[in-house]
Each structure stands twice: as C-alpha cells, then as structure tokens.
Amino acid sequence: MSLFHVTRRAVMAAGTALALTTGFVGGALAQTPPGVLIVGQIAEPKALDPAAVTAVNDFRILMNVYDGLVRYKDGTLEVEPALATDWEISEDGTVYTFTLREGVNFHDGSPFNAEAVKFNFDRMLNEDHPYHDTGPFPLAFFFSAVENVEVVDDLTVRFTLNAPYAPFLSNLAYPTGLIVSPAAVEQHGADFGRNPSGTGAFTFAEWRSNEAVVVEANRDYWDGAPELQAVVFRPITDANTRTAEMLAGGIDLMVEVPPVALSEFQSDAYTVHEQAGPHVWFLILNAKDGPFADKLVRQAANYAVNKEALVNEVLEGTAEVAAGPTPPAFAWAYNPDLEPYPYDPDKARELIAEAGAEGAELTFYVTEGGSGMLDPIAMGTAIQADLEAVGFDVSIETYEWNTFLGEVNPGLEGKADMAEMAWMTNDPDTLPFLALRTDAWPDKGGFNSGYYSNPEVDKLLEDARVATDQEERARLYKEMQTIVQDDAPWVFVANWKQNAITSDRVENFSLQPSFFLLLEDVVKN
C-alpha cells in the first residue's frame, strides 16, 4: 500500500478514535499506524509559506519542511550551520558571506544554490520583484537591514547590510529565513502557500482544510532520512477536545496542553514534556483612542489584574508573573531589577479617578486559542472580572485564532480597547522592535496594534540593533524595559513554560526553547 494511503488511513483512524473508545466502555484504545506521527495542533495553519506567516502554530509544520541557511542548535537558541556550511562577517559587521551546502535539491527536484537564496530575499524585500505579490510578508522587518543580496558563485552568497545588525544570524534561523523553492513559487504563484516545496526532512503530501496537513519523509534529506514515514498535523482548536483525543489514542503528540488537563496524563502511558523558553503573555492596550490613551488608566489596568491568581489558579502554576516586555529566558538582556505590578485594586481605582475614567466602557478581544495563548477564554473572563471590580465596564468579543489575528494585527483603532496576545521570540530585539516602536504601527507594516509611541524607546531599540557588544546591547534593552513598564502600553501578565504530551509509542522527542517542533529524529512504534 502506498504511503499516501497509509497517511490518509492514519487521519481517518485519528478522527474516529474518540468515537471508538467512548462507544465501548473499557475497550482498547484506537491504534494509529506505526511510523506515522499524529500531532494535535492548536489551530488550522494560515499558510505553508514561511515568509507569509507569523504564528508558531504554522512554524511548527514549516520547520520540518524547510531549512534555513542556519538553524538553532538542538536544545538552544545558539546558531549553527544548516544550508550554509560556514560564513564570514566583515570587520565592520555589515557584510556576511555564506558558503552553501553542495548537492542539495528542493523537494520538487530543482537545485538549491546561491540564486535560490537571492530569489528568496529579493522576493520578500523588493516590491518590484516579479513574485513579491505572492505575499504579504509580515515579518520582513527581520531583514530590513539587508541592502543587497549578491550571487558570488553557485555556492557563495553575500548579504550587505545598511548598518551592523546584531540579530541577523538569529533571524536567519527563524522561520521567516527558511528557504523556499523558486521553481515552486514560479509554478504556483499566489497559491504557493498551499503547495510548499523546501529542502527539509519532510516533503509536503496534502492539506485538507480543517482536517489535516500531511508530510512524508524525505529519504534524500541532506542531514539524514527521518525515522518516521509521515507526520499528520491535525487542527483541534478546542483544548478539551484535543485532550480527549490524546486520551483516546487518536493523536500521538499534543502541544500546548491546558494546565487543568496535565493531571490526566500522569501515568506510564504518557510522557509530559516541559521546556522553558522566551514567552510573554500580555494585553495590548489601545494607547491611541479611548480610555487607555491615558497612561494613568493603562497603569490602573496593570494594578487591577490579579496576575498571581491567573498564574496559580487558571494556569495551575505553569507560568510566572511577567514584569515587563522581555522574557526572563533572555537572561543576559533581562532586567532583574523590575518588579511586576502588584495586585492593588485600590491603587487602580485611585488612578482611574485621577484620570476621570470611572465607568469607562472597554471592548476586549479574546481568542479561542492560538500559539502560546495558554487558556485564553478562562484568562479573559478572569481579567474581565478584575477590571469590572475597579469600575470598568468590559465587553468581551471572542474570535477563532486566525480571525482574531485578522482583527488585531491591523490595529485596534476604532474597534477595541484591548486584546490578548502572546509572543514566543528568538532574540530580545524581536518583540519590542516589531510591537513597541513608533515605526511598527500597523499602517507601517509592524505589530504595534496599540499604537504605543515613545521616542526614547525608539532610540534605545535602534541603538541596540547596531551594537555589536553584547554588554552594551543588554544595557540598552534593560533601560528600554524600565521605560516600557512605566508607560504600560500592555498589561504584563505571564511568562509560560511550554509543554507537550507524547504517548508511550513515541520516542526521541524533545521540546525546543524556540517553541518549534523538530521531528526528524522522532520514532513512532
């Protein structure tokens, strides 16, 4: 039987597992096929084009289909060679010359070479590129310092930057830097995101909307063929359903386990995986119009929300209270002198009265689920109660994850006063640069959906980007954190320790601090 039919059968088995096990009390669990890993994802992917997506949910698939010039070393956020075997950096930090791996082909059979690398970055960065309209490219910010990409020869490519840019290598290892097949983009155009082709450990097989994305082992993978035959990524947006499917044997790997469900997997039939990483869960506050345009009201919201209760009761102790915009996982850049806003409803009422915002009506966007969102409906409901207890009138609007992003990312102006959000990042530059700078307002292509603006923060972030000395970068980031915490453009809520569950049939799986799923070495019995 062909692998295509095996993977289709696996999806069907996974989809019916719950019915089988609940229909026969005490019956055997449904068995998914050996060699085929069924992954319970938190949402349907938006696209399979790495340059066109922003969610870790999508990245978890893409990191198995594509490679970048560099990648994160297993278990770390340190950069190591991938499609580039080595590189040289000019003394002034503005020229990076990469030597490429020889003999690598894309899944469609076309060759990987320097022209392919140039095509990828020109497509993303140059509006006059013939395939620029296959975007949009929301994280092109990552490579805004790139002035030119030059083909030196077939296996050598040179990037010239407009200034030294400290996060450049780290950003190349991020999914936005994954290399796609130019031939596939030329063939499929705007539909490339449904017809991906990379050089990774798994090749794309099919995508059935709201049912499954299926990838199969790349037996010619340059870094060694995967152990698995195939991986089936199933979108199961409801956390309780995802938990039930895992317990029923319909999925082999479950990511982002609801904290309240962890106790159900304390047996030899499952392994609970945990891994710290750079994560922050926060509320975006609309600083442009409405009550949160006043800094006093933003500070009041930070005092009003009982973050300790959220972390200990809603999240069952699986996170820590956040003090500011930078996760403590970035130890070298984190400001340990910052203390989280304490829970002080009386102080919140005092600030609200000083601002004349008593009884202010707030529209609050909440998502059903999504990358790093933990338990967003329960958290949103608790936050609503805390804010109403100090005098706000809060109305919640709830959206499916991709719809939610479509509402929030273009900006909250004229629509909402606050929105839940979570980021898992790769560098202390990433989140503040993309979501706190004035030049990152949505109309300028960024993710500053609350329109926060502080020229001093802008300058600190710009200076940190070009600082080649890590101690100087750390000083700038720590100063930025102090200012941002006081300005309170967000309610700083939690830093999460990620988790996942595997069945006892799965071996060699580990979580990564990058929050991605790397499945090349996983075994499924």
Side-chain angles (χ1 to χ4, degrees):
M1 182 177 290
S2 73
L3 184 56
F4 176 84
H5 288 97
V6 169
T7 53
R8 178 175 288 276
R9 184 181 66 186
V11 177
M12 294 174 64
T16 59
L18 184 59
L20 288 173
T21 53
T22 56
F24 299 94
V25 178
L29 292 181
Q31 289 289 301
T32 56
V36 179
L37 186 75
I38 314 295
V39 180
Q41 290 266 92
I42 58 176
E44 174 84 344
K46 180 180 178 181
L48 298 179
D49 179 351
V53 295
T54 62
V56 169
N57 181 69
D58 301 18
F59 294 161
R60 288 178 175 135
I61 302 174
L62 299 178
M63 293 298 288
N64 294 284
V65 176
Y66 299 94
D67 298 302
L69 295 178
V70 296
R71 64 187 179 189
Y72 298 125
K73 188 182 298 183
D74 185 36
T76 77
L77 291 174
E78 299 173 22
V79 170
E80 69 175 7
L83 289 176
T85 55
D86 56 72
W87 54 89
E88 295 180 356
I89 307 172
S90 64
E91 287 188 12
D92 66 358
T94 63
V95 180
Y96 288 69
T97 304
F98 294 88
T99 300
L100 305 183
R101 193 172 298 277
E102 191 173 0
V104 176
N105 288 325
F106 291 102
H107 300 150
D108 57 21
S110 61
F112 164 75
N113 52 31
E115 288 285 359
V117 175
K118 178 176 172 59
F119 176 98
N120 272 257
F121 288 90
D122 287 353
R123 171 191 176 228
M124 193 188 329
L125 299 172
N126 299 344
E127 292 185 3
D128 59 352
H129 189 271
Y131 292 95
H132 185 76
D133 62 359
T134 56
F137 306 116
L139 295 184
F141 263 111
F142 274 38
F143 303 109
S144 57
V146 175
E147 193 170 78
N148 182 51
V149 183
E150 175 189 356
V151 174
V152 178
D153 58 43
D154 202 44
L155 294 177
T156 310
V157 64
R158 179 176 296 136
F159 289 77
T160 301
L161 312 185
N162 55 25
Y165 176 39
F168 182 58
L169 284 174
S170 178
N171 285 356
L172 284 175
Y174 203 69
T176 312
L178 294 172
I179 303 299
V180 309
S181 162
V185 173
E186 291 167 0
Q187 177 183 354
H188 296 288
D191 292 329
F192 172 74
R194 303 282 304 200
N195 299 275
S197 178
T199 61
F202 293 88
T203 66
F204 173 72
E206 63 173 330
W207 179 356
R208 296 190 297 284
S209 295
N210 299 308
E211 184 182 347
V213 172
V214 181
V215 297
E216 300 176 352
N218 176 9
R219 297 301 171 196
D220 298 320
Y221 187 44
W222 60 265
D223 201 23
E227 297 290 339
L228 295 165
Q229 289 180 279
V231 182
V232 180
F233 296 92
R234 292 186 56 211
I236 308 173
T237 56
D238 180 74
N240 292 327
T241 304
R242 205 160 60 248
T243 299
E245 287 268 19
M246 188 75 208
L247 291 167
I251 56 178
D252 308 304
L253 165 62
M254 174 183 177
V255 294
E256 301 195 26
V257 185
V260 295
L262 282 172
S263 61
E264 299 188 56
F265 298 101
Q266 303 300 319
S267 76
D268 291 342
Y270 305 100
T271 301
V272 178
H273 304 264
E274 292 185 323
Q275 167 70 55
H279 168 278
V280 60
W281 198 104
F282 56 99
L283 302 178
I284 305 170
L285 304 180
N286 182 347
K288 189 174 186 182
D289 56 24
F292 292 130
D294 189 324
K295 173 175 152 179
L296 295 178
V297 185
R298 299 196 301 270
Q299 291 177 331
N302 273 279
Y303 285 114
V305 174
N306 189 342
K307 295 173 280 291
E308 289 283 357
L310 287 172
V311 163
N312 293 321
E313 296 171 19
V314 178
L315 301 181
E316 303 276 331
T318 58
E320 296 180 348
V321 173
T326 299
F330 293 125
W332 65 271
Y334 179 69
N335 188 340
D337 297 330
L338 291 184
E339 293 290 337
Y341 276 86
Y343 174 53
D344 191 340
D346 290 336
K347 177 69 171 177
R349 293 186 190 97
E350 177 186 321
L351 292 171
I352 291 167
E354 184 179 346
E358 299 97 328
E361 296 181 356
L362 304 176
T363 299
F364 180 18
Y365 282 177
V366 169
T367 179
E368 295 174 354
S371 303
M373 294 305 301
L374 310 182
D375 198 349
I377 292 178
M379 293 177 77
T381 302
I383 289 166
Q384 178 189 38
D386 286 345
L387 293 175
E388 290 190 334
V390 299
F392 291 117
D393 182 3
V394 184
S395 298
I396 286 179
E397 294 184 16
T398 305
Y399 298 93
E400 176 274 332
W401 177 235
N402 286 318
T403 305
F404 176 82
L405 293 178
E407 291 289 337
V408 174
N409 286 348
L412 300 182
E413 183 180 10
K415 298 186 294 184
D417 300 287
M418 54 195 293
E420 297 178 334
M421 188 51 65
W423 277 65
M424 286 100 76
T425 62
N426 65 314
D427 188 276
D429 167 82
T430 304
L431 176 55
F433 195 83
L434 292 180
L436 288 173
R437 286 182 313 125
T438 305
D439 281 345
W441 283 23
D443 62 348
K444 300 175 183 178
F447 295 88
N448 187 348
S449 299
Y451 315 98
Y452 172 64
S453 178
N454 184 317
E456 192 173 0
V457 169
D458 294 343
K459 186 174 189 312
L460 288 167
L461 291 172
E462 294 288 354
D463 290 349
R465 282 203 135 191
V466 300
T468 53
D469 178 74
Q470 190 175 86
E471 289 187 8
E472 174 63 8
R473 285 187 78 199
R475 183 189 69 79
L476 295 166
Y477 289 133
K478 290 174 182 178
E479 188 175 343
M480 175 274 296
Q481 291 164 58
T482 300
I483 297 169
V484 169
Q485 189 202 49
D486 182 65
D487 280 345
W490 304 337
V491 174
F492 312 103
V493 177
N495 302 119
W496 173 59
K497 182 185 288 186
Q498 63 171 318
N499 59 33
I501 302 291
T502 54
S503 77
D504 59 4
R505 301 175 64 197
V506 177
E507 300 176 4
N508 294 349
F509 172 78
S510 61
L511 287 169
Q512 300 292 325
S514 63
F515 295 92
F516 308 141
L517 294 181
L518 303 181
L519 304 176
E520 177 188 352
D521 296 326
V522 171
V523 174
K524 160 76 177 300
N525 298 312

